Amino acid sequence: MSYVNREQLKKDLLLYAVKTATEAGFPVCSIYDTYSVGNAKKIQRLSNIYVRDFSEIGDYSFSNMKTVLTIAGSDSSGGAGIQADIKTLTVHKVYAMTCITALTAQNTVGITGIMPVPAEFFKKQMESIFTDIKPDAVKIGMIASKEQAEIIAEYLEKYSIKNVVADPVMISTSGTVLVEETTRKILYEKLYPKVSLLTPNIPETEFLSGIKITDKKTREEAAKVIADRWNCAVLSKGGHSEENADDLLYESFLQEEKKKKPFGFQQKESIIQTHTEPAVHFQVR
């Protein structure tokens, strides 16, 4: 028979909790008590604040941690959408908030069902976030209806959000247009003019620009058309390219210092795996 030292277990769990929160990028306030004894120095080193009583915290603020709102669909497999965004934001040590546009039933093979969030409830999510924790930046993914697009545009305008990234999510892997014309009209006229950066894949870059991409030059031309149309930067993602997975970043000529070199290819190091293709490694340089 073995015995567990419950007091030591509590101390170890406390240290583990502090380590986990710190590694995830969260600010940590630790209170010295009997469970800190033995690990006090380690906990103090890991914590943003280490006090003996809550009254010692005073007016200290965690406002130095940036907040990001991701507006997207839920991916039940965790590989995309809200789930992937939360992981990415957490790794980059910013505070992730979410507004879900749709529930999806999907995995690495495909999507078997989509349930859009009603506009009324979607707006409640937005209101809850913006009236409490104003985001420093907003990332927009799948939009399930024109009403959602209008609500997003309304809140970006009302709260003067300057850092906005939008992934069009318009064309499926098979080439199917996923967004209805009425919704696209709202995106084009009300939402995209408020965006700082658009991140279309190659089929979406073609769709938004009206230019068939056949090489690097036509891809640059397409990115410029999009940037000029909505007065934003464009990151044309290269995952659909048959040659490589290079991303093309185009920034418009709005700023004098950008006139010399508006284009930039960003080669990325990643492993891409789908259910129909083998993993491919792309070298960074």
Side-chain angles (χ1 to χ4, degrees):
M1 181 179 293
S2 60
Y3 294 90
V4 176
N5 186 324
R6 291 182 178 274
E7 295 303 310
Q8 185 59 47
L9 180 60
K10 290 178 181 178
K11 294 177 183 179
D12 292 342
L13 286 173
L14 174 61
L15 179 60
Y16 176 77
V18 173
K19 282 183 177 179
T20 302
T22 303
E23 289 171 359
F26 293 100
V28 176
C29 173
S30 298
I31 307 296
Y32 179 86
D33 60 17
T34 55
Y35 297 120
S36 300
V37 176
N39 291 324
K41 289 185 178 180
K42 292 179 181 179
I43 293 174
Q44 184 175 11
R45 187 175 66 252
L46 291 167
S47 303
N48 297 83
I49 305 177
Y50 187 65
V51 296
R52 290 181 176 273
D53 187 87
F54 276 112
S55 62
E56 296 180 24
I57 297 176
D59 296 327
Y60 185 89
S61 172
F62 290 119
S63 60
N64 59 322
M65 190 176 197
K66 299 298 183 182
T67 58
V68 179
L69 168 63
T70 170
I71 303 171
S74 171
D75 175 1
S76 51
S77 69
I82 287 288
Q83 288 84 347
D85 286 345
I86 292 174
K87 295 172 187 175
T88 302
L89 295 170
T90 301
V91 166
H92 285 84
K93 299 185 184 301
V94 295
Y95 184 73
M97 302 177 291
T98 65
C99 187
I100 298 176
T101 59
L103 301 179
T104 70
Q106 64 176 300
N107 52 28
T108 59
V109 178
I111 300 174
T112 57
I114 299 176
M115 182 185 295
V117 172
E120 182 181 357
F121 188 76
F122 177 78
K123 188 168 185 176
K124 285 185 177 181
Q125 293 182 79
M126 294 286 284
E127 183 71 11
S128 297
I129 294 165
F130 279 89
T131 56
D132 184 23
I133 310 173
K134 181 182 175 182
D136 294 303
V138 172
K139 187 268 183 182
I140 304 167
M142 174 188 178
I143 297 176
S145 68
K146 67 182 182 64
E147 290 82 10
Q148 289 183 359
E150 289 175 330
I151 291 168
I152 296 169
E154 174 191 338
Y155 276 81
L156 294 180
E157 178 71 26
K158 181 178 179 179
Y159 289 91
S160 302
I161 305 300
K162 303 300 182 185
N163 303 307
V164 183
V165 177
D167 185 347
V169 194
M170 284 188 173
I171 311 294
S172 71
T173 302
S174 62
T176 303
V177 178
L178 302 173
V179 181
E180 296 180 354
E181 185 176 352
T182 53
T183 303
R184 294 202 302 272
K185 189 173 187 295
I186 300 298
L187 294 176
Y188 295 168
E189 295 178 0
K190 295 185 178 181
L191 187 56
Y192 288 174
K194 296 176 173 61
V195 167
S196 315
L197 175 68
L198 271 173
T199 64
N201 57 32
I202 290 179
E204 290 163 347
T205 303
E206 292 179 331
F207 186 82
L208 292 172
S209 66
I211 295 175
K212 177 66 177 177
I213 295 174
T214 56
D215 53 24
K216 179 179 177 181
K217 186 174 185 299
T218 52
R219 192 173 171 196
E220 291 177 352
E221 291 172 354
K224 184 179 185 304
V225 168
I226 298 171
D228 290 345
R229 181 177 181 182
W230 286 295
N231 195 21
C232 65
V234 176
L235 181 67
S236 177
K237 297 174 293 189
H240 287 75
S241 173
E242 295 180 359
E243 298 178 358
N244 53 53
D246 291 353
D247 293 337
L248 168 66
L249 175 64
Y250 176 80
E251 296 177 275
S252 72
F253 292 96
L254 293 177
Q255 297 181 26
E256 190 68 27
E257 61 269 22
K258 293 179 181 177
K259 290 184 177 180
K260 297 179 182 178
K261 192 178 180 182
F263 291 103
F265 271 94
Q266 179 186 5
Q267 293 187 323
K268 56 188 178 182
E269 180 178 359
S270 60
I271 294 179
I272 300 175
Q273 179 77 57
T274 70
H275 66 284
T276 57
E277 299 173 354
V280 182
H281 183 266
F282 297 95
Q283 184 62 47
V284 109
R285 67 180 181 183

